[in-house]
Each structure stands twice: as structure tokens, then as C-alpha cells.
Amino acid sequence: MRNTVFVLGLIAFMLGGCSDKVKEVQSSGEPFGMNVACADFGSIFPGTYNKDYTYPTDSDLVYWQKKGFRLIRMPFKWERLQYELGGELNQYDLNKMKDFIVAAQKRNIKVLLDLHNYCRRFKDGGHRIIGTHGITNEHYAGFWKKIAQEFMKYDNIYGYGLMNEPHDLPDSLSWFCMAQLAIDSIRTVDSENTIVVGGNSWSSAKKWLDASDTLKHLKDPADNLKFEAHCYFDKDGSGTYKYSYEDEEGTPEKGVELVSSFVAWLKENQLKGFVGEYGIPDNDPRWEVTLDNFLAYLSENGVNGTYWASGPWWGKGAAMVVPTYKGGQEYPQVRVLEKYLTTRK
């Protein structure tokens, strides 16, 4: 009897050890997460805090932490962090960002700092492309150096998102050159944190090979770049989902089809990838199948991402938004999202 008990105990111990190892393997992948948008809101720059824009706070993390998410992509605006080109950072907004980083840190959540400027800065009454109206590549790169100096000390910085959705640049200007200069500038002060590089043409995964293939030639002395694509499943790829599932040409595999060339590009070039934006409306459960298949495909291929979007200031009826922390019934997208907390490898 004692031998039997010993053997049963040994088996239980071994199974328990195996179970722990399985959990360890499952949690060793890259995290999926959520965009928490609000600091990028508003059309007045720099604008008035809590009137034109705001920053996320700890209350915006509670729900997602409970759901098991450990990554937040936080959009912010250049014009609000640095009022004058080449000048010092605006301490008020900087502190708001740091408060959020600390709140996330306490909840064991990493934050991707996302410069949400589309390769532009508000100047002379309009959104001007970097390289025009006296806004130089050096201004842009110098801004990132200052940001890196301020945030490199926090251990929950997932990465520096160099630019959200560069698009429609004239032939005389190059996102590649802007990105390389920013990488070089950051590395003068921070040799460790990941730098996340968005793609051309709105970071479109579908158009990646045509619009963003040259980004594979970017050089990083730390060898720690990650490439960011975006992928929406409606007909024009905008994420507005204006029409029905049929009119938007929805299919169960549409997300996989749209992102597969980007994933293949990563594998071919032995690069790391990330899908910074994707999302579905809550008005047709067939989109949930599309999202499920999409996330399963990313997970199997070791590519993580952040859903668009959550945040405290979204109005009613905004496509794709999941404002569940406000209370009420849980949104259908969450049932899919919580199945994918990390990639499988």
C-alpha cells in the first residue's frame, strides 16, 4: 500500500511539474493586447487637457487586467509633448504619460508608446508632412531621443512605436530615411528597448510587399526592431465597416488572407512582427469568426497584436470599440479576444 501511495504521489508530482511547464510554455509567447485611445483625440493642437483630449489612467486598465491582457498600445501626439520644434518636452503631458506607465507597471502590464502622427505635425494651420514647412527629419528624430531619455528607465516599456500609419508621402520624401534617423537617435541613449516600425501606406498588411518591403534594410545596432502592420477586414480596409457583412465582402478567412503576405515577409527576412490595429463591429457574429481565425493564424506564427480600440472618450456606435469598463453587458468581441492572451510561440 505504501509503495502504491508513493507511486501515485510520484505520478501526481510529475504531472504537476508537467502542468507547470505547460503553463510556462503557454505564457512564454508574445502578448496580445488593446489600444487605449484618447491622448490622440481632438483637432485643436496642442489643445486643452480634458477638453480636447485626455490621457488614459489606471481605471482604463482594470477590466483588461482582469481579462488577462498584459499589453496596451497608447497613442499620443507629438504636438502635445513638444510645443516647439527642437524644444523641451511639455512636462505636464509628460507626467500624464508617466502616471499611466506607472499604473500599468503596478498591474504587470507593458505599454507600447505609439506616436500617432501619420508622418505629420500640426503647423501653420494644417497637418504638415515631415520634411515640409520647416519640419525636418532631425526635429522628428530629436523628439524621439528626448522621449527615449524619459522612458527608458521604466521596465514595462514594450517598445517605441516610431509612427502610426505613414501615408501619402511625396516621392521626394522617404519614411525609410525618417525611421532610420529616429532609430539612430534613440540608440544614442537607449540601447535595449524595442523599436517598433510602422509600414507605409497606412501600415497596410495587404500592401506591405509593395509599400514597405524596403524597411527590411533598416539597421539597428541593438538588433531589436519589430515591424508593425495594420489589418481591417472591411472592403476598403479602413475599419469603418459602413455596410453589411456581404457588402463588405466578409468571409471567415478574410483576415488571414489579408495578413498572410506580411507574415510570410517576416519569416523570409527573419524579422519580428506585430499587428498594431485590427477590429470588428459588434453587429454581426460572422465577423467574430473572421477575427477568431485571424488571431489563431497570428498566434500560430508568433505574431502578436493590439485590438482597436478601447478608451474613455469613445461615443456610442463607434465601429469596433469595446468600452466594457463603463459597465453593462460584455461586448461580443471580448469573447474572441480573451482566447488569445499570448502567441503560441
Side-chain angles (χ1 to χ4, degrees), residues 242-313:
K242 296 176 182 178
Y243 309 110
S244 69
Y245 180 85
E246 289 82 6
D247 289 340
E248 296 289 7
E249 300 179 354
T251 68
E253 298 298 325
K254 187 170 184 182
V256 175
E257 293 166 359
L258 291 171
V259 82
S260 59
S261 59
F262 171 65
V263 172
W265 180 84
L266 294 171
K267 289 183 176 180
E268 179 182 348
N269 295 288
Q270 299 182 347
L271 299 171
K272 295 181 290 184
F274 174 78
V275 182
E277 293 184 19
Y278 47 88
I280 58 170
D282 63 359
N283 58 7
D284 193 319
R286 289 176 291 181
W287 286 121
E288 296 168 40
V289 179
T290 305
L291 178 63
D292 200 340
N293 290 336
F294 173 77
L295 292 176
Y297 176 78
L298 291 184
S299 181
E300 291 290 346
N301 285 280
V303 178
N304 61 323
T306 46
Y307 183 92
W308 186 272
S310 185
W313 275 18

Side-chain angles (χ1 to χ4, degrees), residues 214-226:
T214 57
L215 296 179
K216 66 189 178 188
H217 299 300
L218 289 170
K219 303 297 182 184
D220 177 18
D223 192 26
N224 192 15
L225 298 181
K226 202 162 195 173

Side-chain angles (χ1 to χ4, degrees), residues 55-75:
Y55 283 95
T57 64
D58 181 67
S59 63
D60 298 306
L61 297 171
V62 176
Y63 178 82
W64 300 115
Q65 183 195 29
K66 288 180 179 178
K67 286 296 179 181
F69 289 103
R70 294 293 179 266
L71 175 62
I72 295 295
R73 181 175 181 254
M74 189 194 73

Side-chain angles (χ1 to χ4, degrees), residues 71-89:
L71 175 62
I72 295 295
R73 181 175 181 254
M74 189 194 73
F76 68 98
K77 286 290 191 179
W78 181 3
E79 300 90 337
R80 290 170 178 153
L81 267 294
Q82 188 182 47
Y83 288 173
E84 300 294 333
L85 289 169
E88 296 303 310
L89 297 182

